């Protein structure tokens, strides 16, 4: 079961050095370019491992498993957390207080209902710049087994331009908010979650190649010829 709150797929193809600068990552594993990241897969997140420590990148599994969970399968339902309620929900409130992270991306996918079919769109910054989605992370362990690190992505109401595609979108944090989001001593302001703070985003129609999680290549980002743009937007071409 996949959360209907969005986002359910995203991309991370930006050069590693650009991401290290944007997120002030001092060390850690970012991994290879990813064109179609899907729930249950490993993806890099940026976090502080101590209150005054450096920002480190760690590979974690997408789909949050709370520390109290009896079984890791709960993560399949917790790929997203609504920013409006995450601070109070039992699945997210501990992580919201103590384990916030940045989830690097350079685009995310959403599907628009068009009668009998669903059209996928890739939504990105105008020039393809990387950005940070607000995330929460958790550590889970079964008895004496290995530690499992997982994360979820916070969502908010979609901007007016994106609403024709989907009513929700990831919370995208501006660079000046990164440090405060990672600071365990800070209480995040609700204003961070207002969709009007998001950077300019442009959707473009792509082929259904992206529908299969096993397809993780540049074909996922190829513009779809002949597809009408969403009202009010100007999808860019590669």
């Amino acid at each position: 079961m996949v959360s209907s709150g969005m986002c359910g797929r995203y991309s991370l193809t930006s050069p590693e050095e650009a991401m290290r600068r944007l997120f002030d990552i001092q060390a850690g594993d970012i991994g290879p370019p990813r064109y179609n990241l899907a729930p249950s897969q490993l993806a890099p997140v940026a976090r502080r491992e101590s209150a005054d420590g450096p920002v480190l990148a760690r590979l974690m599994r997408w789909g949050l498993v709370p520390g109290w969970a009896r079984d890791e399968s709960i993560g399949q339902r917790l790929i997203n957390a609504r920013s409006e309620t995450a601070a109070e929900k039992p699945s997210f409130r501990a992580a919201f207080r103590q384990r916030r992270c940045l989830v690097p991306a350079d685009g995310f996918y959403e599907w628009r209902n068009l009668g009998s079919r669903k059209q996928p769109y890739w939504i990105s910054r105008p020039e393809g710049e990387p950005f940070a989605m607000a995330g929460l992370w958790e550590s889970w362990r079964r008895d004496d087994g290995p530690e499992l690190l997982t994360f979820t992505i916070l969502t908010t109401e979609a901007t007016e331009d994106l609403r024709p595609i989907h009513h929700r979108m990831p919370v995208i944090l501006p660079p000046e908010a990164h440090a405060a989001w990672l600071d365990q001593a800070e209480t995040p302001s609700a204003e961070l979650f207002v969709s009007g703070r998001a950077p300019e985003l442009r959707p473009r129609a792509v082929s259904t190649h992206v529908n299969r999680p096993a397809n993780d290549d540049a074909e996922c980002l190829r513009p779809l010829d002949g597809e009408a743009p969403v009202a009010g937007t100007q999808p860019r071409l590669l």
Side-chain angles (χ1 to χ4, degrees):
M1 176 180 178
V2 174
S3 167
S4 60
M6 231 289 302
C7 103
R9 302 279 182 84
Y10 67 97
S11 63
L12 181 58
T13 65
S14 300
E16 181 172 328
E17 184 56 34
M19 289 189 289
R20 289 189 183 277
R21 289 197 304 269
L22 176 63
F23 303 110
D24 194 28
I25 294 171
Q26 302 300 307
D29 191 2
I30 291 177
R34 299 294 308 277
Y35 297 89
N36 190 13
L37 272 160
S40 81
Q41 295 179 354
L42 293 177
V45 305
R47 65 171 187 174
R48 293 190 189 278
E49 298 193 357
S50 62
D52 55 355
V55 178
L56 305 177
R58 292 288 299 271
L59 292 176
M60 300 187 187
R61 195 172 78 182
W62 186 8
L64 188 133
V65 180
W68 47 259
R70 294 183 179 181
D71 190 281
E72 62 187 86
S73 64
I74 191 175
Q76 299 172 23
R77 305 193 302 274
L78 301 180
I79 67 168
N80 293 155
R82 293 177 66 91
S83 59
E84 300 90 339
T85 59
E88 291 82 35
K89 289 289 186 180
S91 296
F92 305 119
R93 61 191 177 197
F96 189 88
R97 288 194 303 268
Q98 302 171 343
R99 290 178 288 278
R100 299 187 294 272
C101 61
L102 304 173
V103 182
D106 50 30
F108 59 93
Y109 297 96
E110 191 47 70
W111 283 255
R112 184 185 190 189
N113 287 314
L114 294 177
S116 60
R117 67 185 181 93
K118 290 187 176 183
Q119 172 60 51
Y121 287 82
W122 183 64
I123 301 166
S124 69
R125 301 285 305 277
E127 301 302 324
E129 309 97 316
F131 53 83
M133 300 184 290
L136 309 173
W137 69 274
E138 275 284 9
S139 172
W140 182 86
R141 194 186 303 268
R142 185 195 300 275
D143 301 325
D144 295 327
E147 180 185 38
L148 175 64
L149 297 175
T150 62
F151 73 96
T152 189
I153 296 170
L154 270 68
T155 66
T156 186
E157 292 289 331
T159 62
E160 184 176 351
D161 282 349
L162 298 183
R163 213 164 291 148
I165 299 175
H166 198 278
H167 66 287
R168 304 287 292 179
M169 63 177 282
V171 172
I172 299 176
L173 298 173
E176 61 269 21
H178 292 181
W181 179 250
L182 295 180
D183 189 345
Q184 298 176 14
E186 292 275 347
T187 300
S189 167
E191 292 198 5
L192 285 177
F193 310 137
V194 177
S195 59
R197 291 177 58 96
E200 181 183 1
L201 297 168
R202 296 185 181 180
R204 71 166 184 229
V206 293
S207 81
T208 54
H209 183 75
V210 72
N211 289 3
R212 295 186 67 244
N215 294 335
D216 188 14
D217 52 43
E219 183 66 22
C220 294
L221 303 184
R222 186 178 298 279
L224 186 64
D225 294 335
E227 184 69 27
V230 178
T233 66
Q234 297 290 329
R236 71 180 181 90
L237 301 180
L238 283 177

